[in-house]
């Protein structure tokens, strides 16, 4: 009889000790799901900005004449600077854990710095188109590579944060960044005309 009561007490004790653990596990799981959803919303905003910014380079893939080239590069320059500013204004979800928010802040800064550098690179390329100065071409390449490095780094960090929040296998979302990088690289093959009237004609339209 004594053994029977001891067994009942042990089972009762175990049920009391394990219940809070199960409850906490469910709460933790719900919290992780909420954090993941908040992150996915933020991630979509990032890809939308990337797609819009790099979409401005689509015309460069069609090998335009020199006048249209100047207009397209000038448009890309403005879009890159606008995108850099947009990343500084991007709101990080307040419901995310502090360590994740800190990581996303660094990622925002990487994208903003990257697009600022790409905007500067387009400015140098416009000057290179205008007068063919090889120093300006070197500066274009330098700022372009700097911008690409920062944005690639931001994308890598973004994927790393996503892996922290989700155990589900995922693939990186296809985007125009890869295509845009190819267009940026292809600018190196363009020979400037040295015609200063291109700039005034383009800006007058």
């Amino acid at each position: 009889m004594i053994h029977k009561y001891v067994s009942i007490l042990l089972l009762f004790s175990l049920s009391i000790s394990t219940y809070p653990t199960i409850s906490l596990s469910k709460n933790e799981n719900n919290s992780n799901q909420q954090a993941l959803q908040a992150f996915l919303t933020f991630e979509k905003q990032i890809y939308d900005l990337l797609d819009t910014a790099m979409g401005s380079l689509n015309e460069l893939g069609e090998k335009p004449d020199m006048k249209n080239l100047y207009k397209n590069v000038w448009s890309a320059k403005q879009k890159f600077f606008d995108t850099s500013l947009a990343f500084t204004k991007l709101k990080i979800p307040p419901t995310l854990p502090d360590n994740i928010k800190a990581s996303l802040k660094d990622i925002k800064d990487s994208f903003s710095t990257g697009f600022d550098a790409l905007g500067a690179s387009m400015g140098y390329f416009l000057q290179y188109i205008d007068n063919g100065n090889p120093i300006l071409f070197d500066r274009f390449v330098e700022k372009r590579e700097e911008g690409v490095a920062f944005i690639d780094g931001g994308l890598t960090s973004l994927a790393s944060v996503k892996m922290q929040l989700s155990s589900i296998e995922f693939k990186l979302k296809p985007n125009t960044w890869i295509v845009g990088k190819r267009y940026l690289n292809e600018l190196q093959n363009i020979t400037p005309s040295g015609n200063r009237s291109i700039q005034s004609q383009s800006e007058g339209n």
Side-chain angles (χ1 to χ4, degrees), residues 72-141:
N72 293 336
V73 173
W74 188 88
S75 177
K77 181 192 75 170
Q78 296 303 115
K79 177 60 70 175
F80 290 157
F81 282 136
D82 289 345
T83 302
S84 174
L85 181 60
F87 270 110
T88 66
K89 296 180 178 180
L90 195 60
K91 302 293 185 183
I92 296 175
T95 56
L96 290 171
D98 288 343
N99 65 316
I100 298 297
K101 287 191 286 188
S103 295
L104 294 184
K105 171 64 168 58
D106 291 340
I107 289 170
K108 273 182 44 175
D109 291 344
S110 291
F111 285 126
S112 180
T113 301
F115 276 107
D116 186 72
L118 288 185
S121 76
M122 295 293 97
Y124 285 126
F125 191 77
L126 291 175
Q127 296 177 63
Y128 172 66
I129 291 175
D130 196 36
N131 59 39
N133 188 332
I135 294 177
L136 294 171
F137 179 81
D138 291 341
R139 289 179 179 172
F140 149 68
V141 172

Side-chain angles (χ1 to χ4, degrees), residues 51-66:
D51 290 347
T52 300
M54 302 313 293
S56 64
L57 295 176
N58 287 341
E59 298 297 327
L60 296 179
E62 299 178 4
K63 298 182 179 180
D65 57 44
M66 197 58 65

